[in-house]
Amino acid sequence: MEKIAKDVGDVQSRLLDHRPVIQGEIRYFVREFEEKRGFRETRLLDNLNKMVVETNEQAIPKCAEAMHSHLCDALTRLEAANHMIQRIQQRELEAQQTNKSRLQLVGEKKIDSTSENNAVKNTSPQREVRLVVSVVENLLFSIAGY
């Protein structure tokens, strides 16, 4: 009788106690989910790795080369503009010195210094200054266009 009670208890526990079956199903579901998720994440990481490699091998060298060529061109243009401005400044300084010397010489003769001063101000160095300023502005706008 004891054996029958044990067998009945065993059958009852198998019929009514579903924990082992449910735990097995849960373990199976979790294992499948992790595998699929792992594959998906692996594919995503592989795609990201490919994009990074392509960027490092192709895009970055092209950008660096373009930047270098444009910067060299801009530097050359700025140096030329700087040289032109220095020449104009020197001419303007010489014109001012000649104006001072003329005014000192003419001061004794009582010539109208204002009319001569206005005539000297409108000479070619000032026109050159305006021209260089417009050239530099055009240069800066063309550099900003890159």
Side-chain angles (χ1 to χ4, degrees), residues 55-102:
T55 302
N56 285 340
E57 291 177 355
Q58 295 174 359
I60 291 176
K62 285 180 183 177
C63 290
E65 181 181 324
M67 178 185 66
H68 186 267
S69 67
H70 292 306
L71 284 178
C72 289
D73 186 37
L75 180 64
T76 305
R77 290 180 180 185
L78 286 174
E79 286 174 348
N82 189 24
H83 181 68
M84 291 171 62
I85 289 174
Q86 286 176 350
R87 283 192 342 229
I88 291 173
Q89 284 177 339
Q90 184 163 355
R91 287 181 189 163
E92 194 172 301
L93 181 65
E94 290 171 359
Q96 286 176 356
Q97 289 173 351
T98 39
N99 276 344
K100 286 181 183 179
S101 64
R102 282 183 187 173

Side-chain angles (χ1 to χ4, degrees), residues 23-33:
Q23 287 175 351
E25 288 294 320
I26 289 172
R27 276 191 237 114
Y28 175 76
F29 176 78
V30 167
R31 186 176 34 229
E32 287 293 315
F33 178 77

Side-chain angles (χ1 to χ4, degrees), residues 34-68:
E34 286 177 349
E35 285 178 7
K36 288 179 182 177
R37 179 176 156 207
F39 291 143
R40 194 175 341 135
E41 289 177 357
T42 303
R43 280 182 296 195
L44 178 66
L45 289 174
D46 286 340
N47 289 340
L48 289 173
N49 189 27
K50 287 178 186 176
M51 287 173 48
V52 167
V53 167
E54 287 177 7
T55 302
N56 285 340
E57 291 177 355
Q58 295 174 359
I60 291 176
K62 285 180 183 177
C63 290
E65 181 181 324
M67 178 185 66
H68 186 267

Side-chain angles (χ1 to χ4, degrees), residues 102-103 105-116:
R102 282 183 187 173
L103 287 176
L105 292 175
V106 176
E108 296 172 359
K109 295 181 182 180
K110 304 282 183 185
I111 295 179
D112 187 17
S113 63
T114 57
S115 63
E116 187 176 330

